[in-house]
Amino acid sequence: MDTAGARAAARRPLPLLLALLAAAYGVAAVGALAGSGSREVYASLRLPAWAPPGWLFGPVWTVLYATIAVAAWLGVRRGRPELRRPALLWWSAQLLLNLAWTPLFFAAGRYGLALAEICLLLAAVAATIAVFAKAYRPAALLLVPYALWVAFATALNASIWLLNR
């Protein structure tokens, strides 16, 4: 979105919020399709003792995708105009990396490659938070739980990769 487009979108808050929610939950839907057997796969893996139960992931991601979208919405609406575009570029990059993990892990069973990918995701989320912190700090703060969950998921992915080689 160019600067003029970001300014125009900032004047139409509800359609922008709906579009960002659609993007975030679109990633969730594609992930659900790509990982349609994820419950069975997760249950069949050797897991570390600290692994959460499989049913927990759906509710956590449902909340996180909402905060991811609202953070972008706030960043575009209230963020410093010169940082709106970089913030949305990083936001889009992390969302695409988020999209790629589920097929790698669940559909392809490539736990090592999924680990490398989720490390890139974690770095992209950190960069997104850094840009949002300069643009509009409350938007960055909304992404902190997401970063913490991705960091936890990275450790879990690493453990699963080591336990299931």
Side-chain angles (χ1 to χ4, degrees):
M1 180 179 303
D2 63 13
T3 306
R7 280 194 305 268
R11 289 189 299 270
R12 296 186 305 276
L14 187 57
L16 174 63
L17 178 59
L18 294 176
L20 294 167
L21 285 166
Y25 284 110
V27 166
V30 171
L33 291 172
S36 61
S38 61
R39 287 182 193 220
E40 294 80 14
V41 170
Y42 188 74
S44 73
L45 293 169
R46 284 188 298 247
L47 300 170
W50 48 269
W55 62 262
L56 184 63
F57 293 94
V60 168
W61 278 111
T62 299
V63 172
L64 290 176
Y65 282 122
T67 62
I68 292 165
V70 171
W73 181 69
L74 287 172
V76 169
R77 292 219 17 164
R78 305 245 170 111
R80 292 178 28 205
E82 70 277 9
L83 294 174
R84 288 178 183 155
R85 183 182 174 118
L88 280 178
L89 288 173
W90 276 109
W91 184 84
S92 299
Q94 66 76 29
L95 204 57
L96 289 172
L97 287 165
N98 183 307
L99 176 67
W101 184 84
T102 300
L104 286 173
F105 189 91
F106 288 110
R110 303 288 309 268
Y111 308 128
L113 188 55
L115 176 58
E117 196 280 342
I118 201 170
C119 288
L120 291 174
L121 170 59
L122 186 56
V125 172
T128 304
I129 289 171
V131 173
F132 274 52
K134 292 176 186 172
Y136 185 66
R137 186 169 304 276
L141 293 174
L142 274 174
L143 294 173
V144 170
Y146 174 42
L148 293 173
W149 185 257
V150 172
F152 173 76
T154 302
L156 181 59
N157 189 154
S159 294
I160 290 171
W161 177 57
L162 291 171
L163 290 170
N164 293 275
R165 294 196 300 169

